[in-house]
Structure formats: C-alpha cells, structure tokens
Amino acid sequence: MCIFLSVLRLAPAALKLELEEKLFGQHLATEVILKALTGFKNNKNPKKPLTLSLHGWAGTGKNFVSQIVAEHLHSKGLRSNFVHLFVSTLHFPHEQQIKLYQDQLQGWIRGNVSTCASSVFIFDEMDKLHPGVIDAIKPFLDYYEQVDGVSYRKAIFIFLSNAGGDLITKIALDFWRAGRKREDIQLKDLEPVLSVGVFNNKHSGLWHSGLIDRNLIDYFIPFLPLEYRHVKMCVRAEMRARGSAIDEDIVTRVADEMTFFPKSEKIYSDKGCKTVQSRLDFH
Ligand SMILES: Nc1ncnc2c1ncn2[C@@H]1O[C@H](COP(=O)(O)OP(=O)(O)OP(=O)(O)O)[C@@H](O)[C@H]1O
C-alpha cells in the first residue's frame, strides 16, 4: 500500500516547481535533491537505500526541504506513519545510553521498513548525535539484498547537520569577494570539501561511522548561507502564508533586525530565515 502510494506520489515536475517557488537561494540543494529523488524513483531495483546528507548553516532550509520532500513521497508528510523524524537532543540525549539507543533504533527501523519498504527516516541535529549511535543503522544502509529477511533498498534516509556549514560559508564568501555570482557556485566546488570536512569533524555525527569511507552516503547536499535579499523573500513568503498583504516597509524592518556576518561585510544572516516568523509577530 505505501510503496504503491509513494511511487505514484513522487511527481518530479511538481517537486521541482515547489522547490523553485519556495526554497530561496539554494540552487545547489534544489538541483541535487531533484536529481537524487528522480533517479531513485525511476530505478525499479535500487541496490541500496537512498541516503542524503544535508549540510549548512542554521536556518538555511534543511528541515524545510525535508518536510517538502516527505510530503512529495507520502501525502501526509511528517504526519505520515511512513515518515519518521529523529532529533538527536530529544531522542538520543544521554551518552551513557548509546547501546540502548542503538537497539531501539534498529528495532524501530526494522519494524517500520517491514511494514513499509519506502519508509523515510530523517535524522535532525546529526552534529549533536553521539558518535556510535548511527553505527547501529549502518547495515541497513549498505548494499545488502536483505538483512534478517528485510530489504531496506527502497527506504530513504535523510541526515541534517550544521557540520560543514563553515566550509560552505567560506567558499560562498570567496565567490562573493571575487565578485562572482552565488549561482555560479557548482557542486564540484563544494562536494569534495564537504565530504572530507565532515569525515574529519568529530562532531558531524558521521565521524568514523564508516558511512562515508564505505560510500554509503549517496549525496552530500550543501545549503548556502542566506543573504539579506533571501531573508526578505522569507518575510514575504511568511506574510503570504498568513494571508496578509505584502508590506515592503515591514519586510525591510524585519530583515534589518536580523544580524549578518562576517563583521566586516555583513553578508550572511547568522540565523538564516529561522527567526523570521517570530519577528514578524511584532510588526
Ligand atoms: N532557503 C530557504 N527558503 C525559504 N524558506 C526558508 C529557507 N531557509 C529557511 N527558511 C524558513 O525558515 C524556517 C527555518 O528553517 P529550517 O528549519 O529549515 O532551517 P535549518 O536549516 O533546518 O536550520 P537548523 O540547522 O538550525 O536546524 C523554515 O521553516 C522556513 O520557513
């Protein structure tokens, strides 16, 4: 039932349209997510589950995109029984209980994939996850036909992390300082730096987990830091979502209240679009 639904549901053109309309300033993430999901969906016989690792500064759209993707795979999105969100600090808070978390996670994933092969698992705050927890799911992400009678090959795993955000920002800033357009940043400028940077980062959640050196992550997806103009776009989107008329004075006031870095140039919003909604309440 859920496989049938998910195959029917992923309409690449609709996903493309929604990402292009709603996700601001993330040309690379849009491109890679579309490519990854379309390729996976068109493959009748995937050799492993799809694993996406989303990286970037706070408030740049990682959770937002995961939500959109989830809705395109299972109609109820995050509320679907086939979409599961884990938040490190909420679900795996205590370092002493790693063994317990590993057992629970394995049982949970096994149970859910047995019920629905195309289950979606989202792990938020990977950079706050104790190294080792993710080891528990490594066998599920590998190229096995089955693990204990269950095939994981149609499942999708999405990891969200701030790890690598500094490397992405550095490259974006280099482009900006060289007078080059943000849209000219290509995946090849970022992907290698990112996979090595994340691999060597003790706090990435993937550190020494074997997921990277065994090539179990299919796509590293960079989220660029958001600029003033993107923050303004977020304010307008939020106004539209609230059914309000767009008031450019308020848009500017909200954007002006955000703080931008680096200190010298003040180009990127340090919270991305994250606090836009709450700030708008005051206007
Ligand atoms: N690139 C973007 N385009 C449109 N809206 C965005 C974008 N980035 C963030 N937003 C808005 O800001 C809110 C917060 O962003 P989101 O939770 O996706 O950030 P995040 O990258 O997951 O941050 P964190 O790393 O802190 O968890 C979103 O719900 C969305 O409304």
Side-chain angles (χ1 to χ4, degrees), residues 34-61:
L34 275 172
K35 184 173 122 190
L37 286 168
T38 310
F40 190 66
K41 183 238 159 195
N42 287 341
N43 185 353
K44 295 276 175 292
N45 204 1
K47 295 281 180 287
K48 67 183 284 305
L50 179 66
T51 50
L52 309 177
S53 197
L54 279 49
H55 297 265
W57 205 262
T60 50

Side-chain angles (χ1 to χ4, degrees), residues 22-24 26 58-64 162 226 234 273-274:
K22 295 189 178 165
L23 183 67
F24 308 132
Q26 302 298 0
T60 50
K62 300 179 295 297
N63 273 285
F64 186 55
N162 293 131
L226 296 181
C234 287
C273 277
K274 212 164 188 173

